[in-house]
Each structure stands twice: as C-alpha cells, then as structure tokens.
Amino acid sequence: MTQNSYWILRAEHRLLTISGSGADAIFPSALPADFKHPANALAVGQLNGIPCYAADVEHLPEIPGSEPTPLRTIFQLAGAEVFALAGRATQLLDWQNNHRFCGKCGTPTTIKSSELAMHCPACGLLAYPRISPAVMVLVRDGDKLLLARSPHFKPGVYSALAGFVEPGETLEECAAREVREEVGIEITKLRYFHSQPWPFPNSLMVAFFADYAGGTITPDPNEIEAADWFPLDALPILPEPISISRRLIDAACQQADKS
Ligand SMILES: [Zn+2]
C-alpha cells in the first residue's frame, strides 16, 4: 500500500466521516502509516475506483472536520451505494472480531488471503461471514395493505411484516409462517420484489408482495404491537427510505395507480 486509500475507521460503533464532503470523500483518504498501521485492517471494496479498507481502532484519529457517525446516518450523508459499502465493512469487522478463535477446538484463527474465511490452523475449520436471511411480506387485499408495528418502531410508524428464515425452511415457507404467526393471516400468490443487505447486524432482507387468502388479524402480542388493514390512500407513517420496506410499500401504491 504505497498509494492513498479510503479508510473506514470504527470505534465504539461509530465510523469516522469527514463532514460536508458528500459522497465523493465521506471517508478519509490516507496511507496506512497516517493511522499508525491499524491492526487487522480488511480490504472491503472500492469507492470511486479507489481501494477501501476498514479497521477497528481504540480511538478515532482527530482530523479537522471529521466526526464519529453511526452507520445508519451514512445513508443520509452519502446515499445507498456508500451505505452498502459501510455496511459491508462493519459486517466484516464484526465477523473478524467474533471469529478470532475456532468455534470447534478453540485455537486462534488466521484470516485466509484467498477468500473471505477465518481458518483454524489446528483442525482446518473455516468460518465464513454469517448472513442471516429474513423475509419481508407486504400483504394486499384489494385496495388495502396489511401493515403492523413492532414495539421497537418509532412512534406511529407501521411497516410490512418480516421475520428470520429458520434452518430447513424455504423463503416461501418462511413468508407464509411469519404472516400466520404474527397476525394469523393466510397468504397466496407470493411475488418477489427485491432484496437488501441489512447490516444491523447481518441480515439479507428478501421482500415479497402477497395477496390475502383468509383469516382475521390476530396480532402475536410478543412481536406485534398493532396491525391493521390500511386503505392505499390513507396509509399511516411509513418507514424511512433507508429500508426496503418503504420501497416495497411505495411500489404497491404505484401498482395500484396503474391498475
Ligand atoms: Zn479448530
């Protein structure tokens, strides 16, 4: 590394950003020596065609105009592409931190240079970055959408239903099970929309539309605070654009406009 690279430096769940510079240079560009050669630096991709590294540091360096920034805020500061790279960086740093020892025999691991894997030199176990798939379902019945809120949402916000895929389960089975468990509704005609990496901490959200097929809304009190059918022209407060849920709901409204 003799040329400048971008650096995503993290301390106490905050990333160092340079304020006011926009998507071009939200992260500092520097040589490793400028940051005292951070231990366990990871190559995480490219930004504007320039290599980007990530590292955990004890204290963020003091650079004029820089500030510690939560990952979520990167989306508002620099857009979806930079947010995705920052999300990838934090997931890889977490993975490296959480697999310093072999889960099978306890030997300290080393990172493989040829692929993203932590390797145990004693027993050969490989630990790859873990991604937890989750399914999101927006259920529609005519001109109404089924939206719900979980207790950790901001006040008044409703969204589509979502839940994690279980071992041995297909995405389709997960979608039907989650909707049944969370609100007691049966669905049909599941249709794929889009997916989104969701780095809080390591999900891949796979979003679907579905049609109502039966049942009465019966919220699971452990997961759902409130759920209801909302007319397309009278929707409640929706999630912020950072999440695929908002794009999913917006797309349903646009489809209704056309039909
Ligand atoms: Zn081992």
Side-chain angles (χ1 to χ4, degrees):
M1 276 190 264
T2 54
Q3 288 192 316
N4 277 17
S5 305
Y6 285 116
W7 283 83
I8 299 177
L9 297 176
R10 181 174 74 167
E12 293 173 1
H13 306 290
R14 297 284 195 276
L15 309 178
L16 184 76
T17 62
I18 302 173
S19 58
S21 49
D24 284 345
I26 185 169
F27 301 117
S29 164
L31 296 170
D34 297 332
F35 300 134
K36 299 180 190 147
H37 295 277
N40 300 321
L42 286 170
V44 296
Q46 292 202 333
L47 190 57
N48 306 322
I50 296 169
C52 188
Y53 291 84
D56 277 315
V57 293
E58 202 154 324
H59 303 288
L60 293 174
E62 292 187 11
I63 301 173
S66 72
E67 58 187 328
T69 303
L71 173 60
R72 197 177 278 267
T73 307
I74 303 287
F75 182 85
Q76 287 122 43
L77 290 178
E81 198 177 332
V82 177
F83 171 66
L85 181 69
R88 172 177 163 84
T90 61
Q91 288 183 74
L92 291 176
L93 290 173
D94 288 343
W95 160 70
Q96 183 176 244
N97 286 340
N98 296 340
H99 292 85
R100 293 182 298 131
F101 298 91
C102 175
K104 192 171 174 186
C105 76
T107 304
T109 55
T110 56
I111 192 160
K112 278 189 89 174
S113 55
S114 56
E115 60 178 340
L116 276 176
M118 298 295 276
H119 174 247
C120 173
C123 77
L125 188 75
L126 291 169
Y128 296 96
R130 181 169 39 174
I131 297 166
S132 302
V135 161
M136 174 174 287
V137 191
L138 180 59
V139 187
R140 185 172 159 183
D141 182 15
D143 62 354
K144 295 193 293 290
L145 299 179
L146 174 52
L147 300 174
R149 52 174 285 112
S150 84
H152 67 264
F153 285 5
K154 287 183 184 165
V157 172
Y158 280 71
S159 186
L161 298 166
F164 285 106
V165 180
E166 293 186 350
E169 190 173 53
T170 65
L171 298 177
E172 293 83 352
E173 288 163 348
C174 175
R177 176 184 55 77
E178 280 294 338
V179 176
R180 189 180 301 128
E181 284 178 1
E182 293 190 350
V183 293
I185 293 289
E186 299 298 323
I187 57 172
T188 184
K189 290 190 191 158
L190 196 69
R191 299 170 314 274
Y192 174 75
F193 174 59
H194 282 292
S195 63
Q196 180 189 35
W198 190 241
F200 305 102
N202 57 4
S203 299
L204 175 67
M205 190 64 81
V206 188
F208 294 89
F209 300 107
D211 288 347
Y212 168 75
T216 308
I217 291 180
T218 315
D220 171 2
N222 295 316
E223 293 197 48
I224 301 294
E225 191 175 276
D228 211 341
W229 294 105
F230 291 91
L232 285 161
D233 58 2
L235 295 177
I237 303 172
L238 299 175
E240 290 172 25
I242 186 175
S243 151
I244 194 171
S245 56
R246 178 58 175 273
R247 284 167 54 209
L248 181 69
I249 296 166
D250 286 349
C253 293
Q254 281 163 14
Q255 285 172 9
D257 284 346
K258 283 182 205 147
S259 61

